[in-house]
Amino acid sequence: MTNIDNTPIENTTSANNILPQFVDQLRHLYGIIVQNTYVKDTAKHLNRIIQDANNQTMILIVGKERVGKTTLVNGLLGREILSVDDQHPTSVNTFIRYGEQEEIKAYFLDGVVAVFDLSKLELLTTGDTFASQILREHLDYLEVYLKNDLLKSVTIIDSVSLEAGGGEMAYFSEALMNRVDEIFWVLRAGSMAMDAELLLIETLKNKGVEPLCVINGIDDEEHATAFMDSEQQRIGHLMSDFIGISAINALVAKQTDSHELWQKSQYDQLIAHIHRVAENSDKKTYAILIRFLQWLERFRFELTVIPQRDPFQSAVENIEKYAGDTQYEYSRYQRDLAIVKEYEQEYEQVANTFKQVQTLYQLLQTIAQHDYLHDSEVEEFTEIAVHYQQMLREYRNMHSEYLREYERLDAQHKKIHGKGLMKAFFGQHTQNEFFKERVQKLNEQQEVCVAQYAKVQQAEVSMLQAIRDTQPFLIDLVKVRMSRIEQKVQKLNQQRAKDKRQLKRYAEKLNEFSCLIEAQGYIKEHLQPFLMNEQMPLKSKDIAMLEETVQAILAIDLSNNGLLARSQMNNKMESIAIPFEVQEKYPLQMLDLREEDVKSNDIPEIPKKLVVQYED
């Protein structure tokens, strides 16, 4: 991709050994400047250089819409991993890396990282649902981890399509292009590179970057060879080479294990090129060095404007307010006391969770009201207890229904015979057949009551066993909750102690900006001598740029405006830990429900079966 001077890089052995040493130097520099929030973005860019130096070779797939970039990648992977949709092209840059665990990591613009199952890839890239649109509005980029041997040596980036900006040149993220080791510029056979693309490719050429032109769809275009020859003549001076492929053939070949189709796809050339890129460590070393020189110029600019802007002055003012203003610190201490008071009230409530629990109904109500008692084991107990209550209710309803029917029939019987149903023997009457039929139905209801009563007894046995097993577990859940509250207070006190230590460091190291003074010294004493070594694969113009930039950095005075003197402030911050003595004050109320507390003691007796005799 990168012919930075169109001359080969020498000292290959040296270049291979230099990169790890150079990364160690950069990591130390990053550790210094990351302490300063004002150069946060600059530190982030340095960290990205470090990560890219340590990472595998990165290959970026670039092109306009519908040229088959995603299908090309699927062909390399041998699987239809990435979603292809002509109506909804890929709308988020997707880094495809090697991973034993196949999954997706979604990086959102606010810094949140979420892990998704591989099946959610379409949702995050090309899906047209409302949820997809919402997610993609907030996405920065994706990392897809796959167990694929090719990815052990390279990371492939399936990029969003090129966009035509306000002018004539197509837009693409310059930051992303600067990070990669190779660019595959994809065209579709029969569709020439548009003028907007050419302007962007020419811009890359001026920076020493020459993409590999990959012409896809040679299986669909009758005149594919003629088209490739024509494009080579037209734009060959902007490209490192040309390769014609059929992404569809490659994918089908992998899926059907067709050697013939694989040969027709010409993917072997593409994969061989990928391996060559991955093995070219000299090229990567030089590219990382150049990126650092460009970063150094950015750092110089940041240091230049620091003394002229407010953050430099406000850093000292904030420290003085934080540590020197007694009223401010008193207010902060009162706030922390209020927080701990809230924690104490919460602790008391949790300790008394079971204080009023004396029945099964109260226990179930308590479980439902407190989320910290929700657990699969507790849910299983709740189901058993609710089932017992349901069986009991059903039995009571059946029993009540039986009594209503009995009392109604008994009243009718008294009216006709002058005595109730249970008087053993009755004389003749025209309605005796009616009573016999009704008595039979009552006895059928009695049998249903008997069966339901048996279910109640069975459910009661299960419930009693479950409550014996569950009570200790519920107590443990409450103890865990109480412990977490204590941990919150502990963390608050730890944070207060941390703030104290942080302020002390400010006083000892001047302030946050003193780390940039340290960075100046590190660049002078360590990085410049390391980079000026004659074995470094840098050209004369690179060395001249390095010397000029370093001298400009060292000329910036970051000790102005009395910062050194003013940093020695009187630290009056209250450092005593806020007490949280609650264990004796609010002892845990135990849960000890006995058998007589939880089972129903007023279950109606099973009604007796009616035996009524009449004279013939």
Side-chain angles (χ1 to χ4, degrees), residues 11 16 162 177 206-207 251 273 275 334 340 565 574:
N11 304 320
N16 288 341
L162 292 172
M177 284 188 168
N206 293 334
K207 295 179 179 179
L251 185 58
H273 185 85
H275 287 310
Q334 292 300 113
V340 172
E574 177 61 65

Side-chain angles (χ1 to χ4, degrees), residues 71-79 148 150 218-219 243-272 274-275:
T71 307
L72 183 153
V73 175
N74 284 337
L76 289 172
L77 301 174
R79 300 160 59 186
N148 182 292
L150 180 63
I218 60 173
D219 55 313
I243 294 178
I245 61 151
S246 169
I248 291 293
N249 281 349
L251 185 58
V252 175
K254 286 287 187 178
Q255 293 172 338
T256 60
D257 198 22
S258 170
H259 178 73
E260 180 181 356
L261 205 55
W262 178 258
Q263 292 300 315
K264 288 183 179 180
S265 74
Q266 299 191 42
Y267 257 55
D268 282 334
Q269 296 182 50
L270 194 62
I271 292 175
I274 290 173
H275 287 310

Side-chain angles (χ1 to χ4, degrees), residues 52-215:
D52 291 348
N54 284 326
N55 283 343
Q56 300 166 318
T57 298
M58 291 199 291
I59 294 178
L60 176 64
I61 313 297
V62 177
K64 58 191 175 186
E65 286 187 3
R66 299 179 181 86
V67 295
K69 301 187 296 296
T70 300
T71 307
L72 183 153
V73 175
N74 284 337
L76 289 172
L77 301 174
R79 300 160 59 186
E80 291 189 71
I81 291 293
L82 304 177
S83 176
V84 178
D85 189 331
D86 288 341
Q87 300 302 317
H88 302 92
T90 302
S91 58
V92 59
N93 292 323
T94 304
F95 291 70
I96 306 161
R97 304 183 185 277
Y98 181 83
E100 292 291 329
Q101 176 70 35
E102 295 199 336
E103 62 184 10
I104 305 166
K105 287 185 179 178
Y107 292 78
F108 291 90
L109 295 170
D110 61 358
V112 171
V113 181
V115 179
F116 293 90
D117 185 78
L118 207 56
S119 62
K120 300 297 183 183
L121 189 54
E122 181 178 357
L123 170 76
L124 297 167
T125 54
T126 62
D128 61 352
T129 65
F130 180 72
S132 295
Q133 295 170 10
I134 291 295
L135 286 172
R136 286 201 295 272
E137 283 180 8
H138 298 276
L139 268 177
D140 188 6
Y141 63 95
L142 297 176
E143 287 184 348
V144 177
Y145 290 87
L146 300 174
K147 196 172 183 180
N148 182 292
D149 288 342
L150 180 63
L151 299 176
K152 289 181 178 179
S153 58
V154 296
T155 292
I156 300 173
I157 307 170
D158 185 26
S159 68
V160 299
S161 299
L162 292 172
E163 296 180 12
E168 296 182 355
M169 186 172 73
Y171 169 76
F172 196 84
S173 170
E174 182 179 357
L176 183 56
M177 284 188 168
N178 288 339
R179 291 184 60 190
V180 301
D181 302 286
E182 181 67 288
I183 296 176
F184 286 0
W185 204 284
V186 184
L187 301 177
R188 177 165 288 281
S191 178
M192 297 169 53
M194 58 185 182
D195 292 341
E197 286 182 271
L198 296 183
L199 289 173
L200 180 54
I201 297 171
E202 287 174 356
T203 301
L204 293 174
K205 174 73 172 181
N206 293 334
K207 295 179 179 179
V209 178
E210 295 180 355
L212 171 72
C213 184
V214 181
I215 297 179

Side-chain angles (χ1 to χ4, degrees), residues 326-599:
T326 305
Q327 183 61 37
Y328 176 82
E329 175 52 30
Y330 176 77
S331 174
R332 184 174 180 275
Y333 184 65
Q334 292 300 113
R335 180 206 65 190
D336 291 347
L337 285 175
I339 292 173
V340 172
K341 185 64 176 177
E342 291 296 320
Y343 288 157
E344 182 175 343
Q345 291 177 2
E346 182 183 357
Y347 186 95
E348 179 184 8
Q349 292 170 359
V350 175
N352 291 325
T353 299
F354 301 119
K355 185 175 183 179
Q356 304 298 329
V357 176
Q358 298 177 352
T359 65
L360 178 60
Y361 173 79
Q362 291 172 341
L363 177 58
L364 293 177
Q365 288 293 103
T366 299
I367 291 173
Q369 292 166 3
H370 298 92
D371 59 352
Y372 52 87
L373 297 180
H374 294 180
D375 180 90
S376 58
E377 186 172 333
V378 178
E379 287 177 4
E380 184 177 346
F381 159 73
T382 302
E383 289 177 4
I384 293 172
V386 169
H387 177 69
Y388 166 67
Q389 292 181 326
Q390 183 179 351
M391 292 298 100
L392 195 56
R393 281 195 301 272
E394 290 180 7
Y395 173 73
R396 286 196 172 102
N397 290 338
M398 291 175 184
H399 192 276
S400 297
E401 185 179 348
Y402 175 87
L403 286 182
R404 285 195 299 270
E405 291 297 321
Y406 175 84
E407 290 170 357
R408 187 181 302 117
L409 188 61
D410 189 61
Q412 290 176 332
H413 200 274
K414 284 180 181 179
K415 187 174 181 181
I416 292 173
H417 285 285
K419 50 187 176 181
L421 288 170
M422 302 298 291
K423 300 303 181 180
F425 193 79
F426 303 92
Q428 295 181 351
H429 195 276
T430 57
Q431 293 198 22
N432 281 354
E433 287 303 319
F434 166 77
F435 285 118
K436 287 181 181 180
E437 181 182 343
R438 299 299 293 171
V439 166
Q440 182 179 352
K441 289 185 178 180
L442 274 174
N443 282 335
E444 289 173 357
Q445 284 184 269
Q446 187 267 351
E447 290 176 0
V448 173
C449 287
V450 170
Q452 185 62 29
Y453 188 82
K455 291 181 181 179
V456 170
Q457 295 297 310
Q458 184 180 1
E460 183 177 86
V461 171
S462 299
M463 181 274 296
L464 290 174
Q465 180 60 48
I467 201 166
R468 283 193 291 270
D469 297 339
T470 306
Q471 286 190 95
F473 185 73
L474 286 168
I475 289 295
D476 287 341
L477 291 177
V478 171
K479 288 179 179 177
V480 168
R481 185 68 170 192
M482 295 164 69
S483 176
R484 286 178 180 172
I485 296 171
E486 292 182 288
Q487 289 172 8
K488 288 194 287 187
V489 177
Q490 184 180 10
K491 285 183 179 180
L492 180 66
N493 280 321
Q494 287 173 347
Q495 183 61 47
R496 290 176 56 78
K498 180 181 177 181
D499 291 343
K500 175 73 174 180
R501 293 192 300 270
Q502 191 174 24
L503 284 173
K504 184 178 180 181
R505 284 196 297 270
Y506 278 135
E508 293 172 350
K509 280 186 77 175
L510 309 178
N511 57 33
E512 185 180 353
F513 289 95
S514 64
C515 66
L516 301 182
I517 300 175
E518 185 180 346
Q520 288 175 304
Y522 185 79
I523 290 171
K524 177 183 178 182
E525 300 296 331
H526 298 278
L527 264 173
Q528 186 179 20
F530 179 81
L531 293 173
M532 296 294 288
N533 188 296
E534 62 182 12
Q535 291 186 341
M536 292 294 291
L538 289 174
K539 302 175 178 59
S540 56
K541 67 173 185 177
D542 303 327
I543 295 174
M545 175 185 175
L546 171 65
E547 289 180 327
E548 180 182 348
T549 306
V550 170
Q551 289 305 314
I553 288 173
L554 297 178
I556 300 167
D557 184 7
L558 293 178
S559 61
N560 291 342
N561 303 320
L563 181 62
L564 297 178
R566 295 172 63 195
S567 65
Q568 307 300 322
M569 77 289 290
N570 179 26
N571 182 5
K572 298 179 180 179
M573 177 182 172
E574 177 61 65
S575 60
I576 300 174
I578 300 174
F580 194 63
E581 300 169 354
V582 291
Q583 293 185 3
E584 293 184 5
K585 191 174 181 180
Y586 307 112
L588 172 62
Q589 299 296 313
M590 302 302 290
L591 177 64
D592 187 20
L593 294 177
R594 294 164 296 178
E595 182 175 318
E596 56 268 27
D597 297 327
V598 295
K599 74 177 188 177

